[in-house]
Amino acid sequence: MPKGISPKREREYTELERKFEQEGRYKGREEEVAARIVNKQRRESGETKGQRQDKRAGHAPDRELPIKDYQRLTVPQIRNRLAELTAAQRKTIRSFESAHKNRKGVLEALQKGH
């Protein structure tokens, strides 16, 4: 089983494995079959790592911006990247910055045309 799964899924895995051993089903493959069943349940419930990342990515307010991971950058890091942007991209950044963080250093850099 993957590390970090929920206690509920870990319990289900253990119970399935024990049940298969007691019933004599899947000789030698009890662990594999139990893991496949639990992983299928996790996938259907949206509990896998990839699905959690997809959910988070869908809610990021800066995902459409021309600078990757914009909200995690400092003002100097943003200023350094502004020169690479087109006028339309800079306008997008200005609108986002005004609506969200409203950082004086970024807005001034955009105003000066850096």
Side-chain angles (χ1 to χ4, degrees):
M1 288 304 309
K3 293 180 182 177
I5 63 167
S6 72
K8 173 186 172 187
R9 296 297 183 202
E10 187 71 42
R11 201 170 39 254
E12 289 174 347
Y13 167 76
T14 305
E15 289 171 6
L16 282 170
E17 185 180 17
R18 211 174 297 135
K19 178 182 171 186
F20 294 153
E21 287 174 359
Q22 289 173 351
E23 294 176 358
R25 293 170 53 188
Y26 310 110
K27 291 275 186 196
R29 295 182 42 227
E30 296 91 350
E31 291 177 17
E32 175 193 351
V33 175
R36 286 176 184 244
I37 290 170
V38 172
N39 282 333
K40 181 180 179 185
Q41 292 169 337
R42 290 176 60 232
R43 193 172 43 254
E44 289 172 351
S45 298
E47 299 173 18
T48 63
K49 182 178 178 180
Q51 290 168 320
R52 286 192 309 267
Q53 288 174 342
D54 290 346
K55 286 179 186 176
R56 281 192 301 256
H59 297 293
D62 65 347
R63 71 179 179 270
E64 300 293 326
L65 295 178
I67 298 175
K68 187 174 178 6
D69 295 327
Y70 180 82
Q71 296 226 81
R72 293 188 178 112
L73 300 177
T74 63
V75 172
Q77 290 171 323
I78 293 170
R79 272 198 232 129
N80 290 337
R81 296 185 186 184
L82 290 177
E84 304 164 2
L85 303 179
T86 66
Q89 290 172 325
R90 292 168 59 84
K91 184 177 179 181
T92 302
I93 294 290
R94 185 179 300 111
S95 297
F96 180 85
E97 188 66 36
S98 297
H100 291 86
K101 293 195 173 191
N102 207 25
R103 294 176 283 190
K104 185 178 178 181
V106 175
L107 294 172
E108 286 177 356
L110 287 163
Q111 188 72 26
K112 292 179 183 177
H114 282 75

